[in-house]
Amino acid sequence: MKASVIGATGYAGAELLRLLTGHPQVELAYITSESSAGEKITAMYPHLKDHVELELASLADLDKVAAASDVIFAALPQGHAMKIGKALRGKQVKFIDLSADYRFKDISVYEKWYKIKHEDPETKAVYGLTELYRDQVKGAQIVANPGCYTTTSILALVPLLKAGLIETEGIVIDAASGTTGAGRSLKMGSLYCEVNENYKAYGVATHRHTPEIEQIYSEFAGKPVVLQFTPHLLPLDRGILATCYAMLKPGVTAAQVNDAFQTLYGREYFIRLRGQGACPELKNVRASNFVDLGWQLDARTGRVIVMSCLDNLVKGAAGQAVQNMNVLFGFPENTGLKQLPVYP
Amino acid sequence: MKASVIGATGYAGAELLRLLTGHPQVELAYITSESSAGEKITAMYPHLKDHVELELASLADLDKVAAASDVIFAALPQGHAMKIGKALRGKQVKFIDLSADYRFKDISVYEKWYKIKHEDPETKAVYGLTELYRDQVKGAQIVANPGCYTTTSILALVPLLKAGLIETEGIVIDAASGTTGAGRSLKMGSLYCEVNENYKAYGVATHRHTPEIEQIYSEFAGKPVVLQFTPHLLPLDRGILATCYAMLKPGVTAAQVNDAFQTLYGREYFIRLRGQGACPELKNVRASNFVDLGWQLDARTGRVIVMSCLDNLVKGAAGQAVQNMNVLFGFPENTGLKQLPVYP
Amino acid sequence: MKASVIGATGYAGAELLRLLTGHPQVELAYITSESSAGEKITAMYPHLKDHVELELASLADLDKVAAASDVIFAALPQGHAMKIGKALRGKQVKFIDLSADYRFKDISVYEKWYKIKHEDPETKAVYGLTELYRDQVKGAQIVANPGCYTTTSILALVPLLKAGLIETEGIVIDAASGTTGAGRSLKMGSLYCEVNENYKAYGVATHRHTPEIEQIYSEFAGKPVVLQFTPHLLPLDRGILATCYAMLKPGVTAAQVNDAFQTLYGREYFIRLRGQGACPELKNVRASNFVDLGWQLDARTGRVIVMSCLDNLVKGAAGQAVQNMNVLFGFPENTGLKQLPVYP
Amino acid sequence: MKASVIGATGYAGAELLRLLTGHPQVELAYITSESSAGEKITAMYPHLKDHVELELASLADLDKVAAASDVIFAALPQGHAMKIGKALRGKQVKFIDLSADYRFKDISVYEKWYKIKHEDPETKAVYGLTELYRDQVKGAQIVANPGCYTTTSILALVPLLKAGLIETEGIVIDAASGTTGAGRSLKMGSLYCEVNENYKAYGVATHRHTPEIEQIYSEFAGKPVVLQFTPHLLPLDRGILATCYAMLKPGVTAAQVNDAFQTLYGREYFIRLRGQGACPELKNVRASNFVDLGWQLDARTGRVIVMSCLDNLVKGAAGQAVQNMNVLFGFPENTGLKQLPVYP
């Protein structure tokens, strides 16, 4: 089958090229970039040398791209994918969007948090957190691939919300991401000497992944969840770890917590339950599509603390997109995604 | 005046040597290490070459050390300093202990969290978080220098607790520390390739700095505070950042929060109020005794999020110890501590 | 086929497990460790969780291991593999040794530089730098897998030595390696805070990879080569880059240099010729079996500078070992090794 | 006395502010930036908060700046300082230029390597490598502060060249610098994710510090020296290490090499001779004005390898500039520069 990648020159786009090149069923059709159309991708990413020797095309060619592709991935900034989704709606080609444009059921939430007018409110997409929505993904034309912080956070607490073991009030998610999350654009704050040996919070009380997490939490809790989400910037390349705090409902036991995770994830290939007392580490999932989960109960405070981590460019972006592609096309879900984490 | 450093070969000990060497009023008398007695400190720390060309002595010489010193610093693991404190009690020499041995008013709390029988329960020490207890420090013989996570966390929320602006229930402190916090001992988890490009929580629900923070919070709140504290390990050398979550009492305004910080810290040399909306960064305090504070109010959740950061080896250990020494001996509090942060 | 890994708990051993698990023709038989026999490998390396759930055996079981294996890899410190090689000699099982024990044609060179008495001087092994010796590897029972600095350095200058384009006198190799090269053992110099933000040379004029490089250079030059080799320690996990300086023979042109590389490596899957003027980067080969080569001619000094880089745990150790296994067993040489580099 | 800093917003400029603020004899007059005139420096560098609360001026005010200053430092890109030097020539104010504009005796060498037409060829400046030219610095109006790689490299081999112990042919300098050397400007290659976990050479055979080193080597050797210089980019903030290779003249002994270093540097405050067999480390000089030197003789190859390291922002830029200021104004040379290295 043929796949194209729109916005191939960002880190998520390049990661898609790496993963798709290793996928046994996929051949790359087009890769595009508006700023670098006409150049070879290897001029920007020499690590792909000899293996992705494609020239970057322009999006002006969207119809041609669509005609030549079974699936199109878009790794673009917010506000751009909706134009492509609108143009592709109803066509044969599948569309997997890595931006936030199609993630929200309530368009007004998107418009409020992203401060962008949505140009394609009619199109219905499926939210592609594969482990939770794989049945819906199967029949979708457009898949809204979840955000990186979002995937990490959602997978951490959904089992407990679904099982009704935690209070829906008072949830705090304190998360930290590697710097690939900031992309490859030229920003002072992304310079080596600014990030290295440094650590800080950002987007406190205002980060856009907040309402996306709330949307899914609310769905599984069966009632509205409002939560605190604080991201931090880590001096490393890849990985997100979320430390999630929730109040246990009175009387809930460690065994019930364990059962909730086992019930929902016990058979998931990509989710590895490290269990109670374990503290998952970023490096144990690096460059892979795995998610590691651990948790701890605190009798003094009545809380459960769930820690969840993944590689933001893989399970948090390109890897989950390929996982969704596998679902869409009926391949085993881990096809092309079985590589073990790279350690150390 | 003459200062000695007991346990000079750990990172905090070496940092004391760096700071004391730059202090205009101090001359080093003895530096000790049981494991390396007889060696020169520069064999272990070549960065001190030509400037701290002292030989390491043994603690067997404690009386001699005491006789030759106006102040003794101890940078030892828990359980050792109490022996020294006991031996020094009532002597002329001042004793500044960087371990936890003398930090707790209630010895049973120490014994429960540290699993060590306290051998010197009678000795009364002053808790040396200088900005909050400088008047008591003035007259002390023994100063219990606070922990690194503790200093960071206490300074963040005490203004709001003291002013009665936040609820005492539901406080969550999510903190991260550089790897110097783990010391220089040989542990698998401290190897470069294990820490680099990695991030994880540890001591979840069980970290020993928890009761130390609770003790001081409770004192300023006027009632017992139980809180959630979670430390994480950062892939960098120096620095601690604490992100502290608390519920604002109904009706509390941003101006009141700002006033609380200004009132308590407005004239403090080492505390820099970055203000509402600012996210302090580790690198802005590196290798200095400064503490940077910023905060944000979240109307959606009713919380205030206070972020506090410092260099764990300076304000979190050796620097605050020197600051306390300055108080004890009547020097201006910032003597020898005015170096600006090293950036980048 | 069945593969066993002796010394599976070091970084090279763990990398073998990662690569062999992804190899379509291989099943793991035994993995061993003397210090951790009886434990599960995932207790030491949680990144392998769910995928290499094997228990570590002891070498006491060597006969059993050999009987159950088609190939045995040894990732042990120098001096240990010779005992295994001696015991396995003449058996059916293939033996790929990642240590230096079988790399030297002249045992006295080994004994002089390694200060170890060789216990198995009769056994003849093939030097497994696959691109240069693949025909000999095909028929070998024992393969001496080259060192990491060695592979990097040899591949850089052999084309020019073989083509007679450079002087054999005056060669200087200045190289730098990531910290995985120091292994997972507990050494002060491998602690995070000692390596991070640091850089230094080591083993100046005495590093053991020197005679190994000289042996192969001499073979291709047709006369003895004595060279200067200086390794440095980099604050990063994986990768070696060698900057190699040699005097061009009078009249040698850029085209001749280019031809020499093209002639020897033009069809090699794992060697990527970045060409004249290109400076290869460690990150472009990370976690892959690729080697990137670039070079520059300096008319002012008459030198050619060749830069060569690879991942020391893959092409510099485990990856090349698997490549040799593929040659030994008649699989396409890149089987299980096609993963593109992980960037960034 | 009053000092002004032109180009205060780059890393070297900010480092000057840090050092000058800690200098007991200096008060800052003006700090300038064309791109950020009117802003406060602390908006760009919050680590200076409360201590350098100055507003950035514009160079349009040069006369005003000169009138208010006893010394002006310029930390500008090449080609700009010559305009300032020309305007200041003959005035009372001292001018210390951190760029290359005034470093070359032969203007044509500057123009060839920098590809800039020199606009002020008449002005004579003193080359400010303090340890070698302090007598000339004393009487200068304009000091050309040396480059960072240059200072490192020159200090390494000048003792041996001056003593006539090494051949002037065949010198190879392989050096590596932290990323602050690339400045704070927005370049793809300076992004965190491009530099981190990476290492590469650059400017091979063409780096502009080459002729600057050759100029000084030639002067001390008494005949023209042509050398090979290759810089590399390190994934760390601060520091340069040069590994310098030279052929010993026949019969030269280790004692003679040692004597040469002792004779020239034995009484230098900032140069620390680690001696034969020692490998100096970047981290041992970090954030200080010290230079650490070690060396090794190789009987096999007849070479001496000298390793030299310093902090590129301090002794390689701002620190040496302050050292020169101390010489110019008759302060003890280490005034304001005695801080010990920050380790770890």
Side-chain angles (χ1 to χ4, degrees):
Chain A
M1 56 168 296
K2 299 278 196 169
S4 292
V5 176
I6 293 179
T9 58
Y11 289 139
E15 188 73 350
L16 273 166
L17 300 183
R18 181 175 78 89
L19 293 174
L20 292 170
T21 302
H23 194 290
Q25 311 288 343
V26 172
E27 200 176 328
L28 285 170
Y30 285 90
I31 63 176
T32 83
S33 161
E34 296 319 292
S35 56
S36 307
E39 290 184 54
K40 292 190 76 170
I41 183 71
T42 49
M44 256 148 288
Y45 286 109
H47 73 291
L48 300 173
K49 183 171 156 55
D50 294 354
H51 299 277
V52 191
E53 290 291 358
L54 289 173
E55 197 175 282
L56 289 156
S58 163
L59 253 193
D61 304 315
L62 182 58
D63 281 345
K64 201 166 64 176
V65 171
S69 310
D70 297 300
V71 63
I72 293 175
F73 297 89
L76 297 170
Q78 331 299 340
H80 294 266
M82 59 177 75
K83 298 185 177 77
I84 296 164
K86 197 171 182 179
L88 295 179
R89 200 197 323 160
K91 297 205 170 172
Q92 184 65 25
V93 65
K94 303 288 188 180
F95 179 49
I96 300 176
D97 175 26
L98 277 73
S99 86
D101 283 5
Y102 291 104
R103 290 180 193 155
F104 290 88
K105 289 193 175 158
D106 181 346
I107 295 295
S108 71
V109 173
Y110 173 87
E111 294 186 335
K112 179 180 159 204
W113 286 78
Y114 285 83
K115 298 179 176 50
I116 295 172
K117 171 104 186 103
H118 208 296
E119 300 177 20
D120 186 26
E122 295 81 20
T123 296
K124 296 296 166 229
V126 166
Y127 189 75
L129 208 162
T130 329
E131 281 78 5
L132 302 179
Y133 298 97
R134 76 167 51 91
D135 287 344
Q136 294 92 312
V137 168
K138 269 175 198 158
Q141 190 216 345
I142 300 188
V143 175
N145 216 58
C148 49
Y149 279 121
T150 328
T151 299
T152 324
S153 305
I154 289 173
L155 290 172
L157 291 191
V158 153
L160 305 181
L161 287 164
K162 190 172 183 223
L165 302 181
I166 55 174
E167 306 288 356
T168 54
E169 299 209 347
I171 293 173
V172 172
I173 300 175
D174 195 288
S177 169
T179 305
T180 47
R184 211 189 200 191
S185 57
L186 296 180
K187 288 175 288 192
M188 177 76 78
S190 297
L191 290 179
Y192 180 82
C193 295
E194 307 294 316
V195 174
N196 184 44
E197 296 293 292
N198 206 355
Y199 182 68
K200 64 171 176 181
Y202 61 98
V204 181
T206 62
H207 194 276
R208 295 160 166 189
H209 283 178
T210 310
E212 190 180 331
I213 304 168
E214 289 179 345
Q215 171 178 282
I216 310 300
Y217 276 8
S218 300
E219 183 180 326
F220 280 91
K223 60 177 166 172
V225 176
V226 174
L227 57 83
Q228 195 76 52
F229 172 72
T230 310
H232 297 74
L233 186 64
L234 285 170
L236 53 83
D237 288 339
R238 289 164 173 256
I240 283 183
L241 185 133
T243 304
C244 306
Y245 302 88
M247 293 301 292
L248 287 167
K249 287 191 180 163
V252 169
T253 65
Q256 285 175 290
V257 168
N258 188 65
D259 283 355
F261 283 108
Q262 287 294 344
T263 301
L264 200 56
Y265 300 143
R267 284 178 227 168
E268 290 295 339
Y269 183 86
F270 291 118
I271 302 184
R272 306 194 294 192
L273 298 176
R274 301 284 311 278
Q276 189 181 357
C279 293
E281 310 186 20
L282 281 193
K283 212 166 185 172
N284 284 327
V285 296
R286 189 164 58 155
S288 83
N289 202 49
F290 292 101
V291 182
D292 280 6
L293 287 173
W295 56 88
Q296 186 59 287
L297 279 70
D298 187 346
R300 293 173 70 251
T301 63
R303 282 200 193 82
V304 60
I305 301 104
V306 184
M307 293 151 283
S308 166
C309 71
L310 51 75
D311 184 317
N312 58 305
L313 290 182
V314 189
K315 182 61 178 173
Q320 184 152 250
V322 170
Q323 188 181 355
N324 283 323
M325 180 195 77
N326 287 337
V327 172
L328 283 169
F329 290 85
F331 306 132
E333 204 171 301
N334 60 11
T335 310
L337 295 170
K338 289 179 212 161
Q339 304 92 324
L340 290 182
V342 173
Y343 189 96
Chain B
M1 54 169 296
K2 298 277 196 172
S4 291
V5 176
I6 295 180
T9 58
Y11 289 138
E15 188 73 350
L16 273 166
L17 300 183
R18 181 175 78 88
L19 295 173
L20 292 170
T21 302
H23 194 289
Q25 311 288 344
V26 173
E27 200 176 328
L28 285 169
Y30 285 90
I31 63 176
T32 83
S33 161
E34 296 319 292
S35 54
S36 308
E39 291 184 54
K40 291 191 77 171
I41 184 72
T42 48
M44 257 148 286
Y45 285 108
H47 74 291
L48 299 173
K49 183 172 156 54
D50 294 353
H51 299 277
V52 191
E53 291 291 358
L54 290 173
E55 198 174 283
L56 290 155
S58 163
L59 252 193
D61 303 316
L62 182 58
D63 281 344
K64 200 166 64 176
V65 171
S69 309
D70 298 299
V71 62
I72 293 175
F73 297 89
L76 298 169
Q78 332 299 339
H80 294 265
M82 58 178 76
K83 298 184 177 79
I84 296 164
K86 198 171 181 179
L88 296 179
R89 201 194 326 157
K91 297 204 170 172
Q92 184 65 24
V93 65
K94 304 286 187 182
F95 180 48
I96 301 176
D97 175 26
L98 279 74
S99 85
D101 283 5
Y102 291 105
R103 291 181 194 154
F104 291 89
K105 289 192 175 158
D106 181 346
I107 295 293
S108 70
V109 173
Y110 173 85
E111 295 187 335
K112 178 180 158 201
W113 286 79
Y114 286 83
K115 297 177 176 48
I116 295 173
K117 171 101 186 109
H118 207 296
E119 300 177 20
D120 185 25
E122 294 80 19
T123 296
K124 294 298 166 228
V126 167
Y127 189 75
L129 209 162
T130 329
E131 282 77 7
L132 302 180
Y133 297 96
R134 82 168 44 92
D135 287 343
Q136 294 92 312
V137 168
K138 270 174 198 159
Q141 190 214 347
I142 300 189
V143 176
N145 216 58
C148 49
Y149 279 121
T150 327
T151 299
T152 324
S153 305
I154 288 173
L155 290 172
L157 291 191
V158 153
L160 305 182
L161 287 165
K162 189 171 183 223
L165 302 182
I166 55 175
E167 306 287 356
T168 54
E169 300 210 345
I171 293 174
V172 172
I173 300 175
D174 195 286
S177 169
T179 305
T180 46
R184 211 189 199 191
S185 58
L186 296 180
K187 288 175 288 191
M188 176 77 78
S190 297
L191 290 180
Y192 181 82
C193 296
E194 307 294 316
V195 173
N196 183 44
E197 295 292 292
N198 206 355
Y199 182 67
K200 64 171 176 183
Y202 62 97
V204 181
T206 63
H207 195 276
R208 294 160 166 190
H209 284 178
T210 310
E212 190 180 332
I213 305 168
E214 289 178 346
Q215 170 177 284
I216 310 300
Y217 276 9
S218 299
E219 183 179 326
F220 280 91
K223 60 177 167 171
V225 175
V226 174
L227 57 83
Q228 195 75 51
F229 171 71
T230 310
H232 297 74
L233 185 64
L234 284 170
L236 52 83
D237 288 340
R238 289 165 173 257
I240 282 184
L241 187 133
T243 304
C244 307
Y245 302 89
M247 292 302 293
L248 287 167
K249 287 193 181 162
V252 169
T253 65
Q256 287 175 289
V257 168
N258 187 66
D259 282 355
F261 283 108
Q262 288 293 344
T263 301
L264 200 56
Y265 300 142
R267 284 178 227 167
E268 291 294 341
Y269 183 85
F270 291 119
I271 302 185
R272 306 194 294 193
L273 298 176
R274 301 284 311 278
Q276 188 180 358
C279 293
E281 310 186 19
L282 281 193
K283 213 166 186 172
N284 283 328
V285 296
R286 190 163 57 155
S288 83
N289 203 49
F290 293 101
V291 181
D292 280 6
L293 287 174
W295 55 90
Q296 185 59 287
L297 279 70
D298 188 345
R300 294 173 69 250
T301 64
R303 282 199 193 81
V304 60
I305 301 104
V306 184
M307 293 151 283
S308 166
C309 70
L310 50 75
D311 184 317
N312 58 304
L313 290 182
V314 190
K315 182 63 178 171
Q320 184 152 251
V322 171
Q323 189 180 355
N324 283 321
M325 179 195 77
N326 287 338
V327 172
L328 283 169
F329 290 86
F331 307 132
E333 203 171 303
N334 60 12
T335 310
L337 295 170
K338 289 179 213 161
Q339 304 92 325
L340 290 182
V342 173
Y343 189 96
Chain C
M1 55 169 295
K2 297 279 196 170
S4 291
V5 176
I6 294 179
T9 58
Y11 289 139
E15 189 73 350
L16 273 167
L17 300 183
R18 181 176 78 89
L19 294 174
L20 292 170
T21 303
H23 193 289
Q25 310 288 343
V26 172
E27 201 176 328
L28 284 169
Y30 285 91
I31 64 176
T32 83
S33 160
E34 297 318 293
S35 56
S36 306
E39 289 183 57
K40 291 191 77 171
I41 183 71
T42 48
M44 256 148 286
Y45 286 109
H47 73 290
L48 299 173
K49 183 172 156 55
D50 294 355
H51 298 278
V52 191
E53 291 290 359
L54 289 173
E55 198 175 282
L56 289 155
S58 163
L59 254 194
D61 303 314
L62 182 59
D63 281 345
K64 200 167 64 177
V65 171
S69 310
D70 298 298
V71 62
I72 293 175
F73 297 89
L76 297 170
Q78 330 300 339
H80 293 266
M82 60 177 76
K83 299 186 177 78
I84 296 165
K86 196 171 183 179
L88 295 178
R89 198 193 330 155
K91 296 204 171 172
Q92 184 65 26
V93 66
K94 303 288 187 180
F95 179 48
I96 300 176
D97 175 26
L98 279 73
S99 85
D101 283 6
Y102 291 104
R103 290 182 193 153
F104 291 88
K105 289 193 176 158
D106 182 345
I107 295 295
S108 71
V109 173
Y110 174 85
E111 294 186 336
K112 179 180 158 202
W113 286 77
Y114 285 85
K115 298 179 175 48
I116 295 173
K117 171 102 187 110
H118 207 297
E119 301 178 20
D120 186 25
E122 295 80 21
T123 296
K124 296 297 166 228
V126 167
Y127 189 74
L129 209 162
T130 328
E131 281 77 6
L132 302 180
Y133 297 96
R134 78 166 51 89
D135 287 343
Q136 294 92 312
V137 169
K138 269 175 198 158
Q141 191 216 345
I142 300 188
V143 176
N145 216 58
C148 48
Y149 279 120
T150 328
T151 298
T152 323
S153 304
I154 289 173
L155 290 172
L157 291 191
V158 153
L160 305 182
L161 287 165
K162 191 175 182 218
L165 302 182
I166 54 174
E167 306 288 356
T168 53
E169 299 209 346
I171 293 173
V172 172
I173 301 175
D174 196 288
S177 169
T179 305
T180 47
R184 211 188 200 191
S185 58
L186 295 180
K187 289 175 288 193
M188 177 76 77
S190 298
L191 290 180
Y192 180 83
C193 295
E194 307 293 318
V195 173
N196 184 43
E197 296 293 292
N198 206 355
Y199 182 67
K200 64 170 176 183
Y202 62 97
V204 180
T206 62
H207 195 276
R208 295 160 167 189
H209 282 178
T210 310
E212 190 180 332
I213 305 168
E214 288 180 345
Q215 170 177 282
I216 310 300
Y217 275 9
S218 300
E219 183 179 326
F220 281 91
K223 59 177 168 173
V225 176
V226 174
L227 57 83
Q228 195 74 54
F229 172 71
T230 309
H232 297 74
L233 186 64
L234 285 169
L236 53 82
D237 288 339
R238 290 165 172 255
I240 282 183
L241 186 133
T243 304
C244 307
Y245 302 88
M247 293 301 292
L248 287 167
K249 287 192 180 161
V252 169
T253 65
Q256 286 175 289
V257 169
N258 188 66
D259 283 355
F261 284 108
Q262 288 294 343
T263 302
L264 200 57
Y265 300 142
R267 284 177 227 169
E268 290 294 340
Y269 183 85
F270 291 118
I271 301 184
R272 305 194 294 192
L273 297 176
R274 300 285 311 279
Q276 189 181 357
C279 294
E281 310 185 19
L282 281 192
K283 213 166 186 172
N284 283 328
V285 296
R286 189 163 58 154
S288 82
N289 203 49
F290 293 101
V291 182
D292 280 6
L293 286 174
W295 56 88
Q296 186 59 287
L297 280 68
D298 187 345
R300 293 174 71 252
T301 63
R303 281 200 194 80
V304 60
I305 301 104
V306 184
M307 293 151 282
S308 166
C309 71
L310 50 76
D311 184 316
N312 58 306
L313 289 182
V314 190
K315 182 61 178 172
Q320 185 153 251
V322 171
Q323 189 181 354
N324 283 322
M325 179 195 78
N326 287 336
V327 172
L328 283 169
F329 290 86
F331 306 133
E333 203 171 301
N334 60 12
T335 310
L337 294 170
K338 289 179 214 161
Q339 304 91 324
L340 291 181
V342 172
Y343 190 96
Chain D
M1 55 168 296
K2 298 277 197 171
S4 291
V5 176
I6 294 180
T9 58
Y11 289 138
E15 189 72 351
L16 273 167
L17 300 183
R18 181 175 78 88
L19 294 174
L20 292 170
T21 302
H23 194 289
Q25 310 288 344
V26 173
E27 200 176 328
L28 284 169
Y30 284 91
I31 63 175
T32 83
S33 161
E34 296 318 293
S35 55
S36 307
E39 290 184 56
K40 291 190 77 170
I41 184 71
T42 48
M44 256 149 286
Y45 286 108
H47 73 292
L48 300 173
K49 185 173 156 53
D50 294 354
H51 300 278
V52 192
E53 291 290 359
L54 289 173
E55 198 175 282
L56 289 155
S58 163
L59 253 193
D61 302 316
L62 182 57
D63 281 345
K64 201 166 64 176
V65 171
S69 309
D70 297 299
V71 62
I72 293 175
F73 297 88
L76 296 169
Q78 331 299 340
H80 293 265
M82 59 177 77
K83 299 185 177 76
I84 296 165
K86 197 172 183 179
L88 296 179
R89 200 192 329 156
K91 297 205 171 172
Q92 184 66 24
V93 66
K94 303 286 187 181
F95 179 48
I96 300 176
D97 175 25
L98 280 73
S99 85
D101 283 5
Y102 291 104
R103 291 181 194 154
F104 291 88
K105 289 193 176 159
D106 182 346
I107 296 293
S108 70
V109 173
Y110 174 85
E111 294 187 334
K112 179 180 158 202
W113 286 79
Y114 286 84
K115 298 179 175 48
I116 295 173
K117 171 103 187 108
H118 207 297
E119 300 178 20
D120 185 25
E122 294 80 20
T123 297
K124 296 296 167 229
V126 167
Y127 190 74
L129 209 162
T130 329
E131 282 76 7
L132 302 180
Y133 298 96
R134 74 166 54 88
D135 286 343
Q136 294 92 312
V137 168
K138 270 174 198 158
Q141 190 214 346
I142 301 188
V143 176
N145 215 59
C148 49
Y149 279 120
T150 327
T151 299
T152 324
S153 304
I154 289 173
L155 290 172
L157 291 191
V158 154
L160 305 182
L161 287 165
K162 191 174 182 220
L165 302 182
I166 54 174
E167 307 287 356
T168 53
E169 299 210 346
I171 293 174
V172 172
I173 300 175
D174 195 287
S177 169
T179 305
T180 47
R184 211 188 200 190
S185 58
L186 296 179
K187 288 175 288 192
M188 176 76 78
S190 297
L191 291 179
Y192 180 82
C193 296
E194 308 293 317
V195 173
N196 184 44
E197 296 293 290
N198 206 355
Y199 182 67
K200 64 171 176 182
Y202 62 98
V204 180
T206 62
H207 194 276
R208 294 161 166 188
H209 283 178
T210 310
E212 190 181 332
I213 305 168
E214 288 178 345
Q215 170 177 284
I216 310 301
Y217 276 9
S218 301
E219 184 180 324
F220 280 91
K223 59 178 168 171
V225 176
V226 175
L227 57 83
Q228 194 75 52
F229 172 70
T230 310
H232 297 74
L233 186 64
L234 285 169
L236 52 81
D237 288 339
R238 290 165 173 256
I240 282 184
L241 186 133
T243 304
C244 307
Y245 302 89
M247 292 301 292
L248 287 167
K249 287 194 181 161
V252 169
T253 65
Q256 287 175 288
V257 168
N258 187 66
D259 283 355
F261 283 109
Q262 287 293 344
T263 302
L264 200 57
Y265 300 142
R267 284 178 227 166
E268 291 294 341
Y269 183 85
F270 292 119
I271 302 185
R272 306 193 294 193
L273 297 176
R274 302 285 312 278
Q276 188 181 357
C279 294
E281 310 186 19
L282 281 192
K283 213 166 185 172
N284 283 328
V285 296
R286 191 162 57 155
S288 83
N289 202 49
F290 293 101
V291 182
D292 279 7
L293 287 173
W295 56 89
Q296 186 58 288
L297 279 69
D298 188 346
R300 294 174 70 250
T301 64
R303 282 200 192 81
V304 59
I305 301 104
V306 184
M307 294 152 282
S308 166
C309 70
L310 50 76
D311 184 317
N312 58 306
L313 290 181
V314 191
K315 182 62 178 172
Q320 184 152 249
V322 171
Q323 188 180 355
N324 283 322
M325 180 194 78
N326 287 337
V327 173
L328 283 169
F329 290 86
F331 306 132
E333 202 171 302
N334 60 11
T335 310
L337 295 170
K338 289 179 213 161
Q339 304 92 325
L340 291 182
V342 173
Y343 190 96

